[in-house]
Amino acid sequence: MTLTTVAVTLMVVLLMLSLGLELRLQDLVAGASRRGAFLGGLALNLLALPLLVFAFGRTGAVSADVLVGLLIVAVAPGGPVGAGMARLSAADLGFSVALLTALGVLSVVTAPLAVVFGLSGTALLAPMLTTLVLCQLAPLTLGMAARQQWPARRDGDDQQAHE
């Protein structure tokens, strides 16, 4: 494992942990319950973007190998990067984390399916699932559990209000 891989993995784990410290389960449920936006986000990421990439590839502007790579990237969501950007832009963090978590789970299936038949697409399944669970879902859940367990640390205002 290279130093770059370790650093990126650590950054993802810390980002997901920090997001979990800000979120409550109710926030995720409320985000996922925005059905139209949630289903639209899934459709754009899992259908529209891969179809756009495929149509681009059919123009002959890229080789078959490059097209396969672009399709894999198209069906693999940005993971915690999108949620971090939502936090920075003061967007609905519950919605963005719910959508990106669903996309992360679905990408374990959609990314290997995007690989052209005959290539070793199923070989992607175990590493993707391991990364998803260990680097995204586990730190997010740990952060949310910590927030629930120690409510006085949720907001600086809560602690000052009790003094």
Side-chain angles (χ1 to χ4, degrees):
M1 193 179 264
T2 66
L3 183 58
T4 303
T5 303
V6 171
V8 169
T9 301
L10 183 60
M11 287 178 11
V12 169
V13 168
L14 291 174
L15 178 59
M16 293 308 292
L17 181 63
S18 70
L19 290 171
L21 289 170
E22 292 183 38
L23 285 173
R24 299 170 300 160
L25 184 57
Q26 300 92 309
D27 299 329
L28 288 176
V29 171
S33 68
R34 294 174 49 196
R35 287 198 176 114
F38 193 78
L39 292 174
L42 289 175
L44 283 171
N45 279 275
L46 297 175
L47 298 173
L49 187 57
L51 286 173
L52 183 65
V53 168
F54 185 73
F56 173 70
R58 298 292 290 173
T59 66
V62 295
S63 70
D65 292 341
V66 171
L67 179 60
V68 170
L70 288 173
L71 283 171
I72 292 170
V73 171
V75 297
V81 175
M85 293 169 96
R87 180 197 313 162
L88 290 174
S89 65
D92 185 345
L93 191 58
F95 174 76
S96 66
V97 171
L99 179 61
L100 290 170
T101 300
L103 286 168
V105 170
L106 290 171
S107 73
V108 171
V109 175
T110 59
L113 288 176
V115 178
V116 177
F117 294 111
L119 296 179
S120 58
T122 56
L124 295 172
L125 187 60
M128 287 180 67
L129 187 57
T130 301
T131 300
L132 174 70
V133 170
L134 294 179
C135 297
Q136 292 182 343
L137 298 179
L140 178 67
T141 304
L142 181 64
M144 291 174 68
R147 185 179 198 278
Q148 182 68 29
Q149 182 66 29
W150 296 289
R153 299 199 185 260
R154 277 186 238 175
D155 301 308
D157 297 336
D158 285 352
Q159 193 171 10
Q160 291 174 355
H162 287 64
E163 293 177 1

